[in-house]
Amino acid sequence: NAGVTQTPKFQVLKTGQSMTLQCAQDMNHNSMYWYRQDPGMGLRLIYYSASEGTTDKGEVPNGYNVSRLNKREFSLRLESAAPSQTSVYFCASSEELAQFFGPGTRLTVL
Amino acid sequence: GDSVTQMEGPVTLSEEAFLTINCTYTATGYPSLFWYVQYPGEGLQLLLKATKADDKGSNKGFEATYRKETTSFHLEKGSVQVSDSAVYFCALVDQGAQKLVFGQGTRLTINP
């Protein structure tokens, strides 16, 4: 039982490049989330998916897109990366109230 | 909107000291409250939770009581250890919602 897994762990991009962050959970949870963590700002919600086939914007969705591929997988895409998107990205899943987090992806955009 | 305010860090204590990290919240409904812990280089882990007023959440020697009258959920531990060094986040989920609202985090360092 791996919980929530994320790939890659680290990534460096140049401005304008695109990439997809992958997330998968094996807990059969309906809800999944993408957050970004920046120093002094806690975690901010980018997008979430309450169930397979649905996605909704969070607090900071601009510059990102998501896909809920199936119940297990929820990917985050940066179409044209910007330095302001340098951050640590966390995926989470939940059933009922508590959320379970992956280990994070540290992204640097030059 | 809903919000969570935590005491500013960093907090530095000696081993075996008493710990309190303050957390207050603003919510329109009747939220559930959480404390998460983040160890260096890792994701967040749920530490404890409380779902209604006067509930006490506890885990690993940490405790927090849901105080509706003061809209608070302060984290306490009687005797901290070096291994408790981490960043602690207070969070809420409002009734009927699915989105966590986080405080800004409090960095705790315990010196031997």
Side-chain angles (χ1 to χ4, degrees):
Chain A
N1 189 339
V4 180
T5 57
Q6 293 183 235
T7 56
K9 292 189 186 303
F10 302 94
Q11 183 71 48
V12 178
L13 294 177
K14 295 180 180 178
T15 297
Q17 287 185 318
S18 62
M19 79 160 295
T20 300
L21 282 65
Q22 306 287 353
C23 173
Q25 53 94 5
D26 62 3
M27 295 174 282
N28 203 35
H29 288 165
N30 281 317
S31 300
M32 298 185 73
Y33 309 81
W34 276 105
Y35 294 90
R36 58 178 291 173
Q37 184 178 30
D38 301 295
M41 301 190 73
L43 276 78
R44 293 182 291 170
L45 182 65
I46 304 171
Y47 270 93
Y48 69 102
S49 170
S51 62
E52 185 178 352
T54 68
T55 61
D56 286 285
K57 294 179 180 179
E59 183 183 355
V60 288
N62 292 343
Y64 305 95
N65 286 300
V66 290
S67 297
R68 183 73 182 268
L69 305 170
N70 48 55
K71 192 171 185 179
R72 289 187 65 248
E73 299 172 289
F74 188 38
S75 62
L76 179 72
R77 182 160 179 84
L78 288 70
E79 291 290 352
S80 179
S84 61
Q85 294 178 305
T86 294
S87 188
V88 182
Y89 291 86
F90 289 99
C91 178
S93 70
S94 74
E95 194 70 42
E96 298 183 357
L97 296 175
Q99 292 189 15
F100 298 86
F101 286 78
T105 295
R106 186 173 295 275
L107 175 67
T108 302
V109 183
L110 302 175
Chain B
D2 297 346
S3 66
V4 175
T5 302
Q6 293 180 231
M7 67 184 290
E8 289 194 22
V11 174
T12 302
L13 296 172
S14 297
E15 204 165 22
E16 299 184 1
F18 183 86
L19 169 71
T20 300
I21 300 178
N22 290 338
C23 171
T24 57
Y25 67 89
T26 302
T28 54
Y30 300 94
S32 296
L33 303 173
F34 304 84
W35 277 101
Y36 282 83
V37 58
Q38 184 179 30
Y39 299 104
E42 299 184 10
L44 279 70
Q45 302 175 25
L46 178 63
L47 181 59
L48 53 84
K49 67 179 181 182
T51 57
K52 62 183 187 295
D54 299 325
D55 269 1
K56 177 185 283 188
S58 61
N59 186 24
K60 298 182 181 180
F62 291 90
E63 294 182 339
T65 300
Y66 189 142
R67 301 287 187 200
K68 185 179 175 185
E69 62 276 13
T70 55
T71 61
S72 65
F73 193 54
H74 304 321
L75 183 68
E76 297 181 337
K77 187 174 185 181
S79 177
V80 293
Q81 306 300 313
V82 172
S83 57
D84 294 327
S85 297
V87 181
Y88 292 81
F89 292 91
C90 186
L92 68 81
V93 171
D94 209 345
Q95 190 180 42
Q98 295 186 346
K99 296 177 286 184
L100 273 172
V101 176
F102 285 92
Q104 73 272 32
T106 301
R107 182 175 299 279
L108 173 67
T109 301
I110 307 300
N111 293 321

